[in-house]
Amino acid sequence: MALVSKDIDSAFHGAGAKPGLEIWCVENLRLVPLPKSLHGKFHSGNAYIVLNTLLLKNGPPQHDIHYWLGKDANQMESTLASDKALELDTALGSCTVQYREVQGQETEKFLSYFKPCIIPIEGVYSSQLGHLDSNSYKVSMLKCKGDHVVSVKEVPFSRSSLNHNDVFILDTASKIFLFSGCNSSIQERAKALEVVQYVKENKHGGKCEVATIEDGKFVGDSDVGEFWSLFGGYAPIPRDLPFGVQKEYDTSSVQLSWITTQGKLCPKEGNSLNKEMLDSNKCYMLDCGAEIFVWMGRNTSITERKTSISFIEDFLRNQGRSTATHLTFLTEGLETSIFKSFFESWPQVEPNLYEEGREKVAAIFKHQGYDVKELPEAEDCQSYINCQGKLKVWRVDGDELILVPAQEQIKLFSGDCYVVQYTYAGDGRDENLFYAWLGRASVLEDRADVITHMNAIADSSKGDPVLARVIQDKEPLQLFLIFQTIIILKGGLSKRYKRFIAENGILDETYDEGKTSLFRVQGTSPSSMQAIQVDQDCELKVNWCRFSSSLNSYYCYILQTGRSTFTWIGNLSSTIDHDLLDRMLELINPTWQPMSVREGSEPDVFWEALGGKTEYPREKEIKQHNEDPHLFAFIFADGDFKVKEIYNFTQDDLTTEDVLILNCHKEIYVWIGCHANVKSKQQALTLGLNFLENVHHIEGLSLETPIYVVTEGKEPPFFTCFFEWDSSKANMLGNSFERKLAILKGKKQNLEVPIINSWKAFSRETTPDNLRSNSVSSNGRGSILSSASSVSGSKSKSANSHLFSSPTLIARKLFPGSPDGSAGSPEAEARSPQDANLVQVDRSNFTENSLIYPYARLIVGSSDPVTDIDVSRREAYLSDEEFQEKFGMMRKAFYGLAKWRQNKLKMSLQLF
């Protein structure tokens, strides 16, 4: 459907190639590109086309096209803008969403591009003369509406323009007055202050006084008297109608109609809407009252689309619809969440064809003998907190909580529920993170109790901890990195679980070393590996069970029969998987002597141990794509709530009066502002569950998606990483209006705190191993660090141009206590500045006082083992001479090898 180059307006050549905004003005029936210096400056006598290009974490760029119509723009220019928007869409492969924007009624998405606001300029734009400001200052009055993005409209400078519901700005030559209606919200007043700041800087050169006037309060304030004197003296403002939430359109009257090629409407019959009602060969109108969508099938022609768009615009005029009616044009496959919400059934997220096509092309070239490197998958195995803290685990057993012994806390049963407390060294203090882990086979009573128990322990702990609810098989990466090793066993130990399976005649599958068990080994690194006991197919009538259908070529497995042990390596597994297999085998039971089996070369005894051979998956599993996060605000009204998306969000959108949802797809965060009505984390967790129930089918979320609850001022780094985070803003006092006013008047609070480098992660894989805690045990768990050796992330300004692009792994500075991250440790003092970001640290980084031990005392199973060392880097304590003798190479060459090759060499020398 793409147009050939000769059909594309020359002004569009190269459009959409780079992220960000591109704007064209319709001037004398031709398109004129605007320089960035004029972005956001719209003239009421013109029509404009705005293209926003966003680079996503996965897949091709996302394009949104808006055509903006000034209130004084003529009909010919408005029609041309509509046609050119469709032309630009076609030039971009018909992969855009188009919006019609009318001056004063812009969508929040459009306004979010031009923060803090757009203030249309009277008149017509001229590219020859540019826009010249008048030397005489014109007094103006602006009405501001909106709590997250603000719509600004110039109103007559008259007392009759004021009301009790909105916020107004009176701009005079010497002073700017902010008048807040008594029914306006704190958030609206705070956003209006951003407009005041904008006016002050752009029209007054940053030099003018600012006065705030509160509706109904006088108290002899000189600013109040001066304000009303400009209107000829004070007089009461007439009472408005009772203020409330804007009336929502009745969704029961939503109408779907087919737009014929002759430009006529044919309403679709039916009490409800579903995706199957949309034909790829047709265009449709979805009339939702306050908003109208035009859906264009993939197989429709450009002429059909243009006819449909022209018809809808004529339809709005002929119907006498309000200019506030939003008009959105969608191509099949690019439907917005709002559009899909009007349909009862909508297919879940479809496979990413871009990614599939890329893999197929790479495979074809490889088959033809070309050396084609596959594009790396987005790195998602980094942690943002110190993962060497202290772990405590409790198991729910009826009304009781039973503390799990430290040596057993990496083993979780799928029939049980657990409370996990993780304490780690934060920024100058210990931080607590709580998880309620719900086994997939656990009973409802235990699931309810584990949340209650978690809240009770969290309430009794210091600080304001983060809480999370997770369900087995849907664990967030952060939980795996905290445990480092998790073994999930079938069955359960809970009294309620035992009673439930007994009452229902269910076979007790609780793990027993004497029974045949199959474990799937998975993970991203030795710092995040799991062994999951898999299901077996059983037919009780014939006393038959087998495990072979649970195999998958993509994984490695451990089969334990009670008499013998096998390791099975799938053909699609990686060298990292093989390394994890060896490690996990030793953790589950170091006495096992396994027989190694590769897929395709299995002996009969292996299949007999599995209960027989059968078919199993042999294709690579398609991973869920890392989608960009979305921020939603809760809107409470009449005892119910709705959610509204906040577009192009920043940290400033975390308003202290609000409760917000950050949807990261793999997990969601419920953020509670200090001045929000929601006071308990239990209530916030319930809101998170309600969010999932209401939007999971639209957003493609699972009802079992992990839910985190975080509070303002106590946000963990794995939350702040989604923002360009400034700690000073989180430390300010007062409501959002008071905070903005303090900044506006130069009374900044705690602004000396530097900006956190939000995308740089703390990861065990990127931390120099010889600088880790020396208390790491052989199972990979570490104990809480002392204050002298605690780990903290460094802070600096982010160097990423795109907020949501995948973060680059980088080693973090260790040992807080001084600006460069050192705290007097010999290892830290020995490092030079250029060594701070090294992923591997060779032996030369040790000082001459570092401990050196003989090979015989460093090996696993030594009769005289060394105790005070980092057991994950035993080789680091060898002398240079003995290192070269044993490894047959210098240290530099060894640390230049891939990690898995290092580990294989260390295993062969009993140093792993």
Side-chain angles (χ1 to χ4, degrees):
M1 289 223 20
L3 293 171
V4 294
S5 59
K6 67 179 181 179
D7 296 323
I8 301 173
D9 193 305
S10 60
F12 290 148
H13 288 173
K18 297 180 179 180
L21 288 177
E22 296 171 79
I23 303 179
W24 297 266
C25 177
V26 178
E27 181 186 8
N28 298 324
L29 299 181
R30 66 185 182 90
L31 291 182
V32 177
L34 296 184
K36 287 188 177 181
S37 60
L38 295 181
H39 285 190
K41 297 180 179 180
F42 296 92
H43 287 71
S44 62
N46 293 95
Y48 294 79
I49 294 176
V50 176
L51 170 64
N52 182 53
T53 300
L54 181 64
L55 296 184
L56 304 177
K57 287 184 178 180
N58 298 92
Q62 174 183 302
H63 303 289
D64 288 302
I65 299 173
H66 306 255
Y67 60 97
W68 185 89
L69 309 177
K71 64 181 179 64
D72 300 322
N74 62 53
Q75 185 60 46
M76 291 182 65
E77 291 193 341
S78 298
T79 301
L80 180 63
S82 174
D83 291 343
K84 289 296 181 181
L86 180 61
E87 182 180 316
L88 178 57
D89 166 70
T90 311
L92 293 171
S94 298
C95 290
T96 74
V97 178
Q98 302 166 62
Y99 303 84
R100 186 189 71 155
E101 308 285 353
V102 178
Q103 180 179 338
Q105 305 295 340
E106 296 88 353
T107 63
E108 292 197 357
K109 188 167 195 174
F110 180 80
L111 293 173
S112 71
Y113 303 144
F114 307 102
K115 292 181 178 179
C117 64
I118 59 172
I119 303 177
I121 303 167
E122 292 293 325
V124 178
Y125 171 76
S126 172
S127 55
Q128 279 74 33
L129 299 177
H131 175 63
L132 300 176
D133 292 321
S134 172
N135 290 327
S136 59
Y137 200 89
K138 176 187 174 185
V139 176
S140 61
M141 191 157 76
L142 307 173
K143 181 169 72 172
C144 302
K145 294 182 72 71
D147 47 8
H148 285 284
V149 292
V150 58
S151 176
V152 179
K153 180 180 180 181
E154 185 168 357
V155 295
F157 174 31
S158 167
R159 188 198 321 276
S160 61
S161 295
L162 299 172
N163 63 54
H164 298 291
N165 294 335
D166 299 313
V167 183
F168 297 84
I169 296 172
L170 179 60
D171 179 24
T172 70
S174 60
K175 185 179 289 189
I176 301 174
F177 297 88
L178 178 75
F179 175 86
S180 301
C182 58
N183 293 327
S184 62
S185 69
I186 294 294
Q187 297 97 312
E188 285 183 309
R189 300 179 189 189
K191 295 303 292 186
L193 278 176
E194 294 181 8
V195 180
V196 170
Q197 180 72 37
Y198 175 82
V199 172
K200 179 180 177 180
E201 292 177 355
N202 287 273
K203 296 184 68 175
H204 297 268
K207 298 179 180 179
C208 83
E209 292 184 54
V210 173
T212 56
I213 313 297
E214 191 167 345
D215 183 13
K217 293 188 177 180
F218 307 101
V219 200
D221 192 311
S222 60
D223 287 333
V224 174
E226 184 180 354
F227 173 78
W228 287 113
S229 68
L230 295 172
F231 294 93
Y234 172 76
I237 300 173
R239 277 291 160 197
D240 301 301
L241 294 174
F243 182 73
V245 178
Q246 185 178 359
K247 182 182 178 181
E248 297 287 339
Y249 189 78
D250 184 7
T251 56
S252 63
S253 63
V254 170
Q255 179 63 57
L256 179 68
S257 303
W258 167 41
I259 308 172
T260 69
T261 53
Q262 291 77 33
K264 295 182 179 180
L265 285 181
C266 295
K268 300 283 288 186
E269 300 297 331
N271 296 325
S272 61
L273 302 178
N274 58 72
K275 172 69 166 61
E276 288 68 31
M277 299 173 73
L278 302 174
D279 187 337
S280 297
N281 299 298
K282 298 179 180 179
C283 295
Y284 296 85
M285 178 186 77
L286 183 67
D287 188 352
C288 306
E291 185 162 12
I292 289 180
F293 298 90
V294 177
W295 185 91
M296 300 174 286
R298 273 284 177 194
N299 300 330
T300 55
S301 66
I302 298 174
T303 302
E304 288 176 299
R305 298 183 181 200
K306 185 176 290 188
T307 300
S308 298
I309 292 173
S310 298
F311 167 77
I312 294 301
E313 291 176 336
D314 291 338
F315 171 81
L316 288 178
R317 283 191 292 270
N318 296 334
Q319 290 278 318
R321 290 289 186 93
S322 166
T323 55
T325 304
H326 290 147
L327 187 53
T328 304
F329 305 98
L330 304 163
T331 301
E332 181 180 1
L334 298 167
E335 296 86 358
T336 62
S337 296
I338 297 175
F339 177 82
K340 290 188 287 188
S341 68
F342 291 102
F343 291 76
E344 284 193 0
S345 62
W346 196 274
Q348 290 298 318
V349 179
E350 298 166 357
N352 190 317
L353 299 180
Y354 172 83
E355 293 292 333
E356 289 183 357
R358 185 182 69 177
E359 290 182 1
K360 288 179 180 178
V361 170
I364 291 172
F365 275 98
K366 282 190 173 183
H367 181 70
Q368 295 174 348
Y370 293 96
D371 183 18
V372 179
K373 294 183 179 179
E374 292 185 7
L375 292 176
E377 295 182 357
E379 181 61 67
D380 64 349
C381 60
Q382 67 273 21
S383 175
Y384 294 91
I385 63 174
N386 170 12
C387 288
Q388 297 177 346
K390 182 179 180 180
L391 185 69
K392 293 179 73 175
V393 179
W394 293 267
R395 177 172 55 82
V396 176
D397 193 15
D399 295 329
E400 300 179 74
L401 266 187
I402 297 177
L403 182 64
V404 179
Q407 64 272 20
E408 295 292 323
Q409 62 189 9
I410 65 170
K411 297 178 182 178
L412 307 179
F413 286 85
S414 61
D416 293 332
C417 293
Y418 297 84
V419 175
V420 177
Q421 179 183 5
Y422 180 67
T423 305
Y424 63 97
D427 191 6
R429 63 175 182 270
D430 284 349
E431 301 287 356
N432 283 298
L433 173 58
F434 286 89
Y435 288 93
W437 186 89
L438 285 59
R440 186 156 296 283
S442 59
V443 298
L444 291 177
E445 296 95 325
D446 285 349
R447 291 189 172 203
D449 281 352
V450 73
I451 301 295
T452 302
H453 286 307
M454 176 181 67
N455 277 283
I457 299 175
D459 288 344
S460 64
S461 65
K462 294 180 180 180
D464 199 352
V466 175
L467 271 59
R469 182 221 67 168
V470 301
I471 296 178
Q472 180 188 343
D473 301 330
K474 292 292 183 179
E475 295 90 349
L477 174 67
Q478 190 61 63
L479 180 66
F480 287 148
L481 291 170
I482 285 171
F483 270 90
Q484 299 175 20
T485 300
I486 291 184
I487 302 172
I488 299 179
L489 306 169
K490 295 190 69 63
L493 306 177
S494 162
K495 297 185 184 108
R496 288 169 176 163
Y497 172 78
K498 295 291 187 185
R499 184 171 65 244
F500 175 80
I501 62 173
E503 292 174 350
N504 291 273
I506 300 173
L507 178 68
D508 188 357
E509 297 181 299
T510 302
Y511 173 73
D512 185 338
E513 284 195 8
K515 299 178 182 178
T516 298
S517 305
L518 182 65
F519 294 90
R520 183 181 71 242
V521 178
Q522 60 189 42
T524 56
S525 71
S527 301
S528 174
M529 58 182 184
Q530 306 89 46
I532 316 295
Q533 188 179 355
V534 301
D535 295 325
Q536 56 182 330
D537 293 329
C538 290
E539 182 58 58
L540 297 180
K541 292 180 180 179
V542 295
N543 194 26
W544 163 83
C545 289
R546 65 182 174 195
F547 291 91
S548 50
S549 61
S550 293
L551 295 174
N552 188 314
S553 301
Y554 192 46
Y555 293 103
C556 295
Y557 292 81
I558 298 172
L559 174 63
Q560 195 268 329
T561 68
R563 300 187 306 273
S564 57
T565 305
F566 299 87
T567 58
W568 185 84
I569 299 175
N571 287 336
L572 294 177
S573 60
S574 68
T575 52
I576 294 177
D577 297 324
H578 307 164
D579 179 25
L580 299 184
L581 180 65
D582 295 333
R583 287 173 175 265
M584 189 60 76
L585 185 68
E586 182 179 354
L587 288 176
I588 295 178
N589 192 327
T591 65
W592 287 348
Q593 298 297 321
M595 177 187 298
S596 182
V597 174
R598 281 194 170 269
E599 183 178 9
S601 303
E602 302 91 345
D604 292 339
V605 65
F606 173 77
W607 294 118
E608 290 172 4
L610 282 175
K613 187 175 182 179
T614 188
E615 288 300 315
Y616 57 84
R618 300 175 186 270
E619 296 180 354
K620 180 178 180 180
E621 290 186 342
I622 298 176
K623 292 184 178 181
Q624 182 181 0
H625 292 290
N626 246 352
E627 297 189 38
D628 288 59
H630 297 270
L631 187 66
F632 295 87
F634 281 106
I635 302 174
F636 298 93
D638 301 325
D640 197 5
F641 74 88
K642 297 180 183 294
V643 293
K644 178 181 70 173
E645 182 165 2
I646 301 171
Y647 301 100
N648 299 304
F649 66 85
T650 66
Q651 183 187 355
D652 288 335
D653 290 306
L654 301 178
T655 312
T656 187
E657 293 81 16
D658 286 334
V659 178
L660 304 170
I661 287 278
L662 182 65
N663 175 18
C664 302
H665 301 277
K666 290 185 177 180
E667 63 260 341
I668 68 171
Y669 296 84
V670 183
W671 182 89
I672 312 171
C674 290
H675 292 78
N677 290 329
V678 175
K679 300 301 181 184
S680 73
K681 291 186 171 67
Q682 179 80 42
Q683 186 181 359
L685 185 59
T686 302
L687 286 174
L689 291 169
N690 289 337
F691 174 82
L692 289 179
E693 291 172 0
N694 284 280
V695 307
H696 75 278
H697 62 290
I698 301 171
E699 293 290 313
L701 294 170
S702 166
L703 287 171
E704 298 177 348
T705 300
I707 303 173
Y708 284 93
V709 177
V710 301
T711 52
E712 182 183 6
K714 301 292 184 179
E715 298 89 350
F718 51 87
F719 173 84
T720 61
C721 68
F722 296 104
F723 301 82
E724 193 74 29
W725 196 259
D726 183 349
S727 297
S728 64
K729 294 180 180 179
N731 293 333
M732 293 188 71
L733 303 176
N735 61 37
S736 55
F737 177 78
E738 292 166 341
R739 297 179 188 185
K740 293 282 176 64
L741 186 60
I743 294 175
L744 181 64
K745 294 193 172 184
K747 300 176 182 178
K748 299 185 180 181
Q749 307 175 40
N750 300 325
L751 294 186
E752 73 279 359
V753 182
I755 295 175
I756 292 177
N757 187 345
S758 56
W759 277 114
K760 293 184 179 180
F762 183 100
S763 171
R764 283 179 58 86
E765 289 303 291
T766 58
T767 303
D769 289 342
N770 62 331
L771 299 182
R772 295 183 189 153
S773 166
N774 58 15
S775 59
V776 179
S777 60
S778 60
N779 69 353
R781 275 248 44 86
S783 61
I784 190 70
L785 303 177
S786 67
S787 59
S789 60
S790 58
V791 185
S792 174
S794 62
K795 299 179 180 180
S796 62
K797 291 186 178 180
S798 173
N800 292 286
S801 59
H802 177 36
L803 184 59
F804 303 132
S805 59
S806 298
T808 303
L809 284 175
I810 186 169
R812 306 294 291 246
K813 294 182 180 179
L814 305 182
F815 308 106
S818 64
D820 65 358
S822 62
S825 67
E827 293 89 345
E829 291 172 0
R831 290 184 296 148
S832 60
Q834 60 266 31
D835 291 330
N837 291 334
L838 290 179
V839 173
Q840 301 293 343
V841 177
D842 61 36
R843 192 67 185 86
S844 63
N845 288 101
F846 279 73
T847 67
E848 60 182 3
N849 296 322
S850 296
L851 297 176
I852 295 176
Y853 296 100
Y855 171 75
R857 295 194 63 194
L858 292 171
I859 61 174
V860 177
S862 171
S863 59
D864 181 24
V866 182
T867 57
D868 192 21
I869 62 169
D870 180 353
V871 295
S872 66
R873 288 183 57 84
R874 297 173 185 268
E875 80 287 351
Y877 299 90
L878 290 170
S879 66
D880 290 335
E881 295 76 12
E882 200 164 14
F883 186 98
Q884 188 170 2
E885 175 191 344
K886 298 298 181 182
F887 285 91
M889 65 183 75
M890 301 290 287
R891 291 183 188 278
K892 187 174 183 180
F894 172 76
Y895 288 119
L897 298 175
K899 190 72 174 179
W900 67 270
R901 292 194 63 187
Q902 294 180 27
N903 292 338
K904 286 293 184 183
L905 284 172
K906 290 196 290 184
M907 288 178 67
S908 67
L909 295 171
Q910 302 180 63
L911 291 170
F912 183 78

